[in-house]
Amino acid sequence: MKLNRSHLSLRPTQHGIIFIAILIAMFLGSINYNNNAGFILVFLLGTMALISLFHSYKNLVGLDVVQSHVEPVFIGETLVFSFRIKLLKSVKIEQGQALFAQFDETTSASFLSGTSMRRADLEIKAKTRGILNPGDLTLFSTYPFGLFRLTARIPVKTQGLVYPRPIAGPIPTSLAGGREHGEKSDDRAGPDDFQGLAPYVPGNPMGRISWKTYSRGLGIFIKNFTAETGGEILLDMDLIKSGGVEEKLSLLCRAVLDAEKENLRYGLRLANGVNIAFDNGRPHCHKCLKALALYGSQGEGPWA
């Protein structure tokens, strides 16, 4: 989006107000004492202030704001909104100096660095799942003398997607075993499918820990089954009987990440009627996590 005068507003800074007050006092004193040197100084400083207004205005007009893709995060992590401020060919490279960007007064301001293209990375802590809309982007500058603050309020359509916070815990799953999507199965890996124990690695599903081995003081191991290698599992929200909605979504979030890590083909079924067919890979993982993030909301976003 190209900045024009309709986006701009101008007001004096605290230093600017003090500067203007001093000029007025000097002007009144010069009149009272008929001091020509005082008049010259007041007019000289006043002219400098007026010229700084022109430079403040030219510092922002003509700049082009380009927004970048926002990577999804989990609750508790930080969303990074990146913006590029491009200098058009008709704009001198000296313009766009000492620029700061922020969304509102509650977010910290980011200094835009660079030459022909300035960049700002604005960070917002993700506190709830779903779509995070940061609001309008604000660019401001006190260039060149710090007497006036020029502000440009820019309506942007950028949004961030926040996944549920993954929490570890045992959850029941339906083994698909090649059935059509949506068909449940009560089959479980039997004794003949047990392959042995493997050392526990952080991130392994808690439900596969061999607690009997751990109780004997032999260490933490996980159980391996042939039925789980290259298998298909259905992660069904209705099978989780305990906990609230957010806890269930967090458990499913961890289950999706674990299934993706173990290269399983997995599907997802939510209580709101969302059914995602069996697959794996990064796009499929994102599709499932997005469904969990948007559960119970009508929002849509550019993450498909």
Side-chain angles (χ1 to χ4, degrees):
M1 175 181 290
K2 184 178 179 180
L3 296 184
N4 54 51
R5 64 183 64 186
S6 64
H7 296 115
L8 305 181
S9 62
L10 184 70
R11 63 178 178 84
T13 63
Q14 183 176 2
H15 293 93
I17 294 175
I18 295 175
F19 180 81
I20 293 173
I22 293 176
L23 280 185
I24 293 175
M26 291 175 59
F27 181 72
L28 295 177
S30 299
I31 293 177
N32 186 52
Y33 293 103
N34 195 23
N35 189 326
N36 293 330
F39 282 120
I40 293 175
L41 182 59
V42 168
F43 293 143
L44 177 62
L45 295 177
T47 302
M48 291 177 60
L50 290 176
I51 293 176
S52 72
L53 279 175
F54 173 77
H55 285 282
S56 297
Y57 174 79
K58 292 292 291 182
N59 192 42
L60 284 180
V61 171
L63 302 181
D64 191 21
V65 180
V66 181
Q67 61 194 57
S68 302
H69 174 72
V70 183
E71 290 295 331
V73 299
F74 297 95
I75 290 179
E77 296 180 346
T78 301
L79 278 165
V80 179
F81 296 85
S82 295
F83 294 89
R84 305 292 186 273
I85 311 299
K86 296 173 60 178
L87 300 181
L88 303 181
K89 293 182 179 180
S90 59
V91 177
K92 295 181 179 179
I93 195 170
E94 289 80 9
Q95 293 180 230
Q97 298 294 318
L99 289 180
F100 291 85
Q102 65 180 151
F103 284 119
D104 53 46
E105 294 181 356
T106 62
T107 60
S108 59
S110 174
F111 177 74
L112 278 75
S113 60
T115 54
S116 61
M117 181 179 291
R118 287 152 172 77
R119 170 177 174 173
D121 293 328
L122 303 180
E123 299 181 349
I124 297 181
K125 192 79 170 181
K127 298 180 180 179
T128 58
R129 66 174 176 85
I131 297 175
L132 191 151
N133 188 350
D136 295 341
L137 176 68
T138 300
L139 294 178
F140 65 91
S141 174
T142 58
Y143 179 84
F145 298 137
L147 301 178
F148 300 95
R149 174 181 168 126
L150 189 68
T151 303
R153 194 172 182 85
I154 310 164
V156 293
K157 297 182 179 180
T158 185
Q159 294 176 327
L161 183 63
V162 182
Y163 299 144
R165 179 187 287 108
I167 58 175
I171 66 171
T173 59
S174 294
L175 297 180
R179 291 172 174 80
E180 295 295 329
H181 169 59
E183 181 180 349
K184 290 185 179 180
S185 171
D186 294 328
D187 295 339
R188 294 293 185 272
D192 294 338
D193 298 318
F194 180 69
Q195 292 296 295
L197 300 176
Y200 173 79
V201 177
N204 287 141
M206 297 290 291
R208 291 175 54 190
I209 292 180
S210 176
W211 297 109
K212 184 180 295 185
T213 305
Y214 177 73
S215 65
R216 295 174 181 173
L218 300 177
I220 304 178
F221 294 87
I222 61 171
K223 303 174 184 178
N224 282 333
F225 298 93
T226 56
E228 293 180 353
T229 305
E232 292 183 343
I233 60 172
L234 176 61
L235 304 174
D236 194 337
M237 186 176 182
D238 290 333
L239 295 181
I240 307 176
K241 303 302 181 182
S242 61
V245 172
E246 296 302 324
E247 183 179 353
K248 293 180 179 180
L249 294 175
S250 294
L251 288 171
L252 288 171
C253 180
R254 169 53 63 186
V256 168
L257 296 175
D258 289 342
E260 181 64 31
K261 184 177 181 180
E262 296 178 24
N263 198 29
L264 298 175
R265 285 174 55 84
Y266 55 95
L268 179 65
R269 176 185 291 164
L270 301 180
N272 60 358
V274 172
N275 287 279
I276 299 178
F278 296 101
D279 201 351
N280 60 7
R282 185 174 180 181
H284 179 67
C285 180
H286 167 71
K287 185 177 182 180
C288 293
L289 293 177
K290 176 185 174 184
L292 295 174
L294 299 182
Y295 180 85
S297 67
Q298 301 298 323
E300 292 295 336
W303 306 282

